[in-house]
Amino acid sequence: MVYPKIPLAQTVIQLCKAKGIKHIVISPGSRNAPLTIGFSHDNFFKSYSIVDERCAAFFALGIAQQLQEPTALVCTSGSALLNYYPAVAEAYYSDIPLVIISADRPKHLIGVGDGQTINQPNVFENHILYSANLKLDLKEAETEAHEALPIFKSLENKVETLLGLKQSIQEFNESEINKAINIALQKSGPVHLNVPFDEPLYERVEALSVQPEIVPAKEKPLEIEASVLSKCIDDWNTSKRKMILIGVKHPNTIEQQWLDILAKDDSVLVFTETTSNINHEAFFPSIDKIIAPLDNEGFKNLQPDILLTFGGLIVSKKIKAFLRTYQPKQHWHIDTQKANDTFFCLNRFIETTPNYFLSKLLPQTQPFSSNYRLYWEAIKQVRLQKHTVYIDQIEFTDLKAFNSILKAIPNHSILQLSNSSTVRYAQLFNINNTLEVYCNRGTSGIDGSTSTAIGCAVATDKQTTLISGDLSFLYDSNALWNNNIPNDFRIIVINNQGGGIFRILPGHKNTENFNTYFETNHHLTAEHLCKMFGFEYATASNEIELESKLETFYSESNQPKLLEVFTPKNINDEVLLNYFKFIK
């Protein structure tokens, strides 16, 4: 077995192994060589080499998203670490566990003009659960030099002091590493280990010199205070309008029996976002189809007495605007981590899982006689019929393309969506309920969607499809510089020659200023990127071509595939805005 000689590197690697961190995403460098040597020579770990640190971090995020367990990132010192920041922020707001391990220069080389140095300790302090700033190992040469001298009492004391200091540093580092990784496990978010190394960096040994103490992570209890649960039961049983809104969630986190009970209660409306991964024929997906056409009377009829929310951030701007204006009497949020007061009326945060909460609430409640759900069910059916009529009659645009694309995705596969128009278009459709759907909605950035999707594809046996806008895809094109991409990975790029989402927003369209600084007009394609990175490339510019290409797009291949769909940018916004008028 090969190990790095530096004890601190051994300590980091052993504690990662003890806590089950198997996937290690390494960006090449010199200062992180002791860590790279240790991780890459141990068969327990699956190590990946990704040159671009920003892509590496989102790739790791995609792995952690799927496995729901920490993935480690390892980089050299200096600006390399800063490139992790977008993914760190996404992990922070999306509750995804990442362990960032940055190599650093010794403290005496910081701030003196030495190469590749920045102030690394606490660099993520506003978007991190914990920062462990580890201490440099005391050099063996410093103690060995004293031990070789004639033994005098004063020197003996000095040697004892040095040995004690060495042990104290080791204990400090072990404690900090244990604490950081345990927080990532317990709170499901990013933590940072800043690890200083002095040269020489590449020395190897065949036996470990340290055996760090392993402090296990403690599981967080799910219990709900009896008085809180009792009040929830009373309020639930006496409310004729209850709305449940579910944001980003992993699949299969709520048992079907509780969903079935909610579906039978006529006083309950369950709104599900595409990223909620919650499906039931009695629930209300495609929220904006319901919300967008409403007038003041409609909003008052929809206004709930109790709003119960689960999951992560909400995509729909329309339901956020509605609930902020027509606030419920009570808003409860159920989560093990945090509660966002998204609608400015949060008055109850219960720290447990949604499944546990429903298992305690629903057996002690009774359906309330109400026409709340049935009234909105009738509207849902009308909206669905008009949706179908409108899609059939429009010309080929983004909206029409999404209709074909979403129908073609294979059952029981994974769909990754980029920000920002892509996920919003997807929200307008009733997506195949066998799919698992993901999107980086923590910060809603376009910067790492492709890298995240590739990380997801690597971590799962299920086929993964990414649907991306052109700007998001081009922005993250280095994501394709990755030797681990599975052959069954698929990318569909909607190329409308710019940031089409801005045409839907208020502004002066079709001016030079708008086209340059808002929409970002371009004439780029993915063709040459596909040739460079080994993707099979195809295009479609109308409905017939698209349907034809999709017929074989998911067939087996010896390389991943990308389908670029070109849509007319000048009418996409008009078609979408008219959609909401038509379904009213």
Side-chain angles (χ1 to χ4, degrees), residues 395-397 400-401 404 539-551 563 565:
E395 54 194 307
F396 188 70
T397 52
K400 190 98 167 181
S404 298
T539 65
S541 299
N542 57 59
E543 186 177 7
I544 294 174
E545 287 182 358
L546 178 57
E547 297 281 358
S548 175
K549 296 294 172 63
L550 286 170
E551 287 180 6
L563 174 59
V565 183

Side-chain angles (χ1 to χ4, degrees), residues 182-438:
N182 285 349
I183 287 173
L185 289 163
Q186 293 162 340
K187 296 188 176 182
S188 191
V191 297
H192 177 206
L193 306 178
N194 194 56
V195 192
F197 294 130
D198 205 352
E199 296 180 4
L201 301 168
Y202 291 88
E203 292 185 308
R204 308 178 185 199
V205 294
E206 295 183 358
L208 294 166
S209 60
V210 291
Q211 295 291 334
E213 180 185 5
I214 301 164
V215 180
K218 296 179 181 178
E219 291 189 11
K220 192 173 184 178
L222 300 178
E223 286 78 12
I224 307 169
E225 288 184 26
S227 59
V228 172
L229 180 60
S230 177
K231 187 68 168 66
C232 287
I233 292 168
D234 290 343
D235 291 343
W236 190 268
N237 279 328
T238 56
S239 297
K240 64 179 181 179
R241 292 183 179 183
K242 279 101 65 176
M243 179 184 291
I244 299 177
L245 176 59
I246 309 177
V248 177
K249 284 202 71 61
H250 287 281
N252 306 312
T253 55
I254 299 179
E255 292 176 43
Q256 190 64 41
Q257 61 175 318
W258 310 129
L259 301 179
D260 290 340
I261 290 174
L262 292 171
K264 293 175 183 176
D265 191 334
D266 288 340
S267 67
V268 176
L269 283 183
V270 181
F271 280 112
T272 60
E273 294 227 299
T274 299
T275 52
S276 72
N277 291 297
I278 298 289
N279 300 284
H280 197 289
E281 61 182 7
F283 293 169
F284 291 72
S286 306
I287 296 171
D288 286 359
K289 275 196 298 210
I290 300 293
I291 299 290
L294 296 182
D295 55 17
N296 183 58
E297 182 180 356
F299 284 130
K300 287 183 177 179
N301 288 334
L302 184 60
Q303 184 177 18
D305 298 323
I306 294 175
L307 171 66
L308 176 61
T309 54
F310 305 144
L313 276 70
I314 300 298
V315 175
S316 172
K317 288 185 177 181
K318 297 185 189 327
I319 201 163
K320 283 187 278 192
F322 157 62
L323 289 169
R324 287 169 180 173
T325 304
Y326 299 85
Q327 293 181 333
K329 296 175 183 176
Q330 298 187 56
H331 173 201
W332 311 343
H333 186 73
I334 317 300
D335 192 79
T336 58
Q337 306 299 335
K338 55 180 176 278
N340 293 310
D341 191 6
T342 304
F343 314 109
F344 312 134
C345 55
L346 181 70
N347 53 16
R348 191 168 291 166
F349 171 38
I350 301 174
E351 295 185 66
T352 189
T353 67
N355 192 70
Y356 186 82
F357 175 76
L358 293 175
S359 74
K360 296 300 179 183
L361 175 78
L362 295 181
Q364 301 187 63
T365 59
Q366 298 294 327
F368 194 98
S369 179
S370 171
N371 68 345
Y372 189 45
R373 184 177 65 83
L374 295 177
Y375 175 85
W376 289 103
E377 177 65 34
I379 291 176
K380 181 176 79 169
Q381 295 306 320
V382 171
R383 298 273 201 272
L384 184 58
Q385 291 169 6
K386 290 192 172 185
H387 169 93
T388 303
V389 171
Y390 187 78
I391 297 294
D392 287 342
Q393 72 181 28
I394 60 175
E395 54 194 307
F396 188 70
T397 52
D398 285 353
L399 190 61
K400 190 98 167 181
F402 269 90
N403 182 62
S404 298
I405 291 166
L406 292 173
K407 289 178 180 177
I409 299 172
N411 289 341
H412 306 290
S413 64
I414 293 177
L415 172 60
Q416 289 272 350
L417 299 168
S418 76
N419 292 301
S420 81
S421 62
T422 301
V423 67
R424 298 188 188 283
Y425 271 114
Q427 292 258 110
L428 300 176
F429 294 85
N430 293 356
I431 291 179
N432 180 344
N433 62 16
T434 72
L435 302 182
E436 298 177 15
V437 185
Y438 298 90

